[in-house]
Amino acid sequence: VYDGLTTEGSQVMEGVRLTPRLIVLGIEGRVPHGGLAASAKEKSSGWTSAMSFAPETLTYVANADFDTTDKLGEAVFTYDLKVNVYPVGEVSFSTSDTKSVGFHIAVEDSASFNEREIEAGDNVVPGTEFSFSLTLSTQSKPGFVTGDFTL
Protein backbone atom coordinates (compact mmCIF):
# COMPACT_ATOMS: atom_id res chain seq x y z
CA VAL A 1 0.00 0.00 0.00
CA TYR A 2 1.35 3.42 -0.93
CA ASP A 3 -0.52 6.63 0.03
CA GLY A 4 -3.62 4.56 0.78
CA LEU A 5 -3.67 2.86 -2.64
CA THR A 6 -3.00 -0.83 -3.04
CA THR A 7 0.01 -1.75 -5.13
CA GLU A 8 -0.35 -5.50 -4.66
CA GLY A 9 -1.43 -7.66 -7.55
CA SER A 10 -0.49 -7.30 -11.18
CA GLN A 11 -2.34 -4.05 -11.97
CA VAL A 12 -1.67 -0.56 -10.63
CA MET A 13 -3.03 2.87 -11.48
CA GLU A 14 -0.74 5.26 -13.37
CA GLY A 15 0.80 7.83 -11.04
CA VAL A 16 1.21 5.47 -8.07
CA ARG A 17 4.67 5.08 -6.58
CA LEU A 18 5.73 1.45 -6.14
CA THR A 19 8.17 0.19 -3.53
CA PRO A 20 9.38 -3.19 -4.80
CA ARG A 21 9.52 -5.88 -2.11
CA LEU A 22 10.79 -9.42 -2.21
CA ILE A 23 10.78 -12.33 0.20
CA VAL A 24 13.40 -15.05 -0.06
CA LEU A 25 12.69 -18.33 1.69
CA GLY A 26 15.23 -21.08 2.35
CA ILE A 27 15.07 -24.47 4.05
CA GLU A 28 12.10 -25.97 2.24
CA GLY A 29 10.45 -22.59 1.75
CA ARG A 30 9.77 -21.96 5.42
CA VAL A 31 12.60 -19.77 6.71
CA PRO A 32 13.14 -16.18 5.45
CA HIS A 33 16.72 -15.54 4.34
CA GLY A 34 18.14 -12.10 5.06
CA GLY A 35 21.81 -12.56 4.18
CA LEU A 36 21.76 -11.67 0.48
CA ALA A 37 22.93 -8.69 -1.54
CA ALA A 38 19.78 -7.69 -3.43
CA SER A 39 18.91 -5.18 -6.11
CA ALA A 40 15.90 -4.32 -8.28
CA LYS A 41 15.77 -2.99 -11.85
CA GLU A 42 12.85 -1.96 -14.07
CA LYS A 43 13.46 -3.01 -17.67
CA SER A 44 12.14 -0.18 -19.87
CA SER A 45 13.00 2.87 -17.73
CA GLY A 46 16.42 1.79 -16.49
CA TRP A 47 15.36 2.52 -12.89
CA THR A 48 17.50 0.61 -10.36
CA SER A 49 17.66 0.39 -6.60
CA ALA A 50 19.58 -1.53 -3.99
CA MET A 51 17.34 -3.48 -1.64
CA SER A 52 17.73 -3.69 2.12
CA PHE A 53 16.50 -6.51 4.32
CA ALA A 54 13.71 -5.34 6.67
CA PRO A 55 13.68 -7.68 9.69
CA GLU A 56 10.26 -6.45 10.85
CA THR A 57 8.61 -7.76 7.65
CA LEU A 58 11.25 -10.37 6.72
CA THR A 59 11.39 -8.91 3.20
CA TYR A 60 13.87 -7.10 1.00
CA VAL A 61 12.64 -3.56 0.29
CA ALA A 62 13.87 -1.28 -2.49
CA ASN A 63 15.70 1.77 -1.15
CA ALA A 64 13.96 3.98 -3.77
CA ASP A 65 10.40 4.08 -5.07
CA PHE A 66 9.47 3.53 -8.70
CA ASP A 67 7.20 6.35 -9.95
CA THR A 68 4.62 5.19 -12.52
CA THR A 69 3.68 8.73 -13.59
CA ASP A 70 3.41 8.83 -17.41
CA LYS A 71 4.38 5.14 -17.64
CA LEU A 72 1.45 3.28 -19.17
CA GLY A 73 1.91 -0.39 -20.06
CA GLU A 74 4.10 -3.06 -18.54
CA ALA A 75 6.66 -2.39 -15.84
CA VAL A 76 8.94 -5.44 -15.64
CA PHE A 77 11.04 -5.68 -12.49
CA THR A 78 14.06 -7.97 -12.24
CA TYR A 79 15.51 -8.84 -8.84
CA ASP A 80 19.15 -9.94 -8.62
CA LEU A 81 20.39 -11.67 -5.48
CA LYS A 82 23.89 -12.79 -4.49
CA VAL A 83 25.52 -14.49 -1.54
CA ASN A 84 28.94 -16.00 -0.87
CA VAL A 85 28.71 -19.60 0.28
CA TYR A 86 31.81 -21.32 1.63
CA PRO A 87 33.42 -23.30 -0.01
CA VAL A 88 31.38 -22.85 -3.22
CA GLY A 89 31.92 -19.12 -3.69
CA GLU A 90 29.39 -16.65 -5.04
CA VAL A 91 25.89 -17.97 -5.67
CA SER A 92 23.54 -15.70 -7.57
CA PHE A 93 20.02 -15.96 -8.88
CA SER A 94 17.32 -13.66 -10.20
CA THR A 95 13.57 -13.50 -10.50
CA SER A 96 11.15 -11.08 -12.10
CA ASP A 97 7.70 -9.62 -11.65
CA THR A 98 5.47 -7.65 -14.03
CA LYS A 99 3.01 -4.89 -13.18
CA SER A 100 0.49 -3.53 -15.67
CA VAL A 101 0.27 0.25 -15.27
CA GLY A 102 -2.90 1.87 -16.57
CA PHE A 103 -6.02 3.91 -15.98
CA HIS A 104 -8.60 3.23 -13.33
CA ILE A 105 -11.93 2.73 -15.12
CA ALA A 106 -15.30 3.37 -13.49
CA VAL A 107 -18.36 2.13 -15.38
CA GLU A 108 -21.88 3.27 -14.58
CA ASP A 109 -24.60 1.34 -16.36
CA SER A 110 -28.33 1.66 -16.61
CA ALA A 111 -31.18 -0.01 -18.46
CA SER A 112 -34.66 1.30 -19.25
CA PHE A 113 -37.76 0.23 -21.11
CA ASN A 114 -40.51 2.72 -22.02
CA GLU A 115 -38.74 5.36 -19.89
CA ARG A 116 -38.91 3.07 -16.83
CA GLU A 117 -35.63 2.26 -15.07
CA ILE A 118 -34.90 -1.46 -14.86
CA GLU A 119 -33.20 -2.51 -11.63
CA ALA A 120 -30.14 -4.77 -11.55
CA GLY A 121 -31.22 -8.40 -11.61
CA ASP A 122 -34.59 -7.69 -13.27
CA ASN A 123 -35.45 -9.35 -16.57
CA VAL A 124 -35.06 -7.37 -19.79
CA VAL A 125 -37.19 -7.59 -22.90
CA PRO A 126 -36.55 -6.72 -26.56
CA GLY A 127 -36.44 -2.95 -26.92
CA THR A 128 -34.64 -2.36 -23.62
CA GLU A 129 -32.18 0.54 -23.84
CA PHE A 130 -28.78 0.20 -22.21
CA SER A 131 -26.51 3.13 -21.31
CA PHE A 132 -22.91 3.07 -20.15
CA SER A 133 -20.85 5.93 -18.76
CA LEU A 134 -17.08 5.48 -18.53
CA THR A 135 -14.81 7.61 -16.38
CA LEU A 136 -11.03 7.19 -16.40
CA SER A 137 -8.66 8.35 -13.70
CA THR A 138 -5.04 8.30 -12.69
CA GLN A 139 -3.42 9.19 -9.41
CA SER A 140 -2.80 12.77 -10.56
CA LYS A 141 -5.86 13.25 -12.82
CA PRO A 142 -9.09 11.95 -11.28
CA GLY A 143 -12.28 11.59 -13.29
CA PHE A 144 -11.74 12.47 -16.94
CA VAL A 145 -13.81 11.34 -19.91
CA THR A 146 -11.87 12.82 -22.86
CA GLY A 147 -8.21 12.59 -23.84
CA ASP A 148 -5.63 10.87 -25.99
CA PHE A 149 -6.97 7.31 -25.65
CA THR A 150 -9.25 4.92 -27.47
CA LEU A 151 -11.74 2.45 -26.09
Side-chain angles (χ1 to χ4, degrees):
V1 175
Y2 191 94
D3 280 346
L5 297 169
T6 184
T7 57
E8 294 180 13
S10 63
Q11 299 177 338
V12 295
M13 183 170 43
E14 183 270 338
V16 171
R17 297 177 71 85
L18 299 175
T19 305
R21 298 175 187 275
L22 182 68
I23 187 166
V24 178
L25 300 174
I27 309 176
E28 298 178 5
R30 292 181 279 175
V31 180
H33 192 300
L36 304 167
S39 63
K41 179 178 183 177
E42 197 284 318
K43 182 179 178 180
S44 64
S45 68
W47 172 91
T48 60
S49 176
M51 299 181 80
S52 301
F53 186 73
E56 63 278 1
T57 59
L58 302 174
T59 60
Y60 289 89
V61 180
N63 296 340
D65 293 334
F66 176 76
D67 188 357
T68 65
T69 301
D70 297 326
K71 294 178 175 68
L72 295 173
E74 281 191 344
V76 179
F77 295 93
T78 301
Y79 304 96
D80 294 315
L81 302 115
K82 298 177 184 176
V83 65
N84 280 311
V85 177
Y86 179 82
V88 176
E90 183 177 275
V91 174
S92 62
F93 55 98
S94 65
T95 188
S96 64
D97 183 34
T98 300
K99 298 281 188 181
S100 180
V101 181
F103 296 110
H104 174 266
I105 300 175
V107 179
E108 291 183 30
D109 57 3
S110 64
S112 62
F113 181 75
N114 287 339
E115 298 182 16
R116 188 180 126 267
E117 192 74 20
I118 297 175
E119 298 296 321
D122 286 352
N123 293 328
V124 296
V125 296
T128 301
E129 293 183 20
F130 296 92
S131 298
F132 300 93
S133 171
L134 297 175
T135 304
L136 304 179
S137 23
T138 67
Q139 179 64 14
S140 59
K141 190 175 178 184
F144 59 96
V145 293
T146 61
D148 186 19
F149 54 85
T150 53
L151 298 175

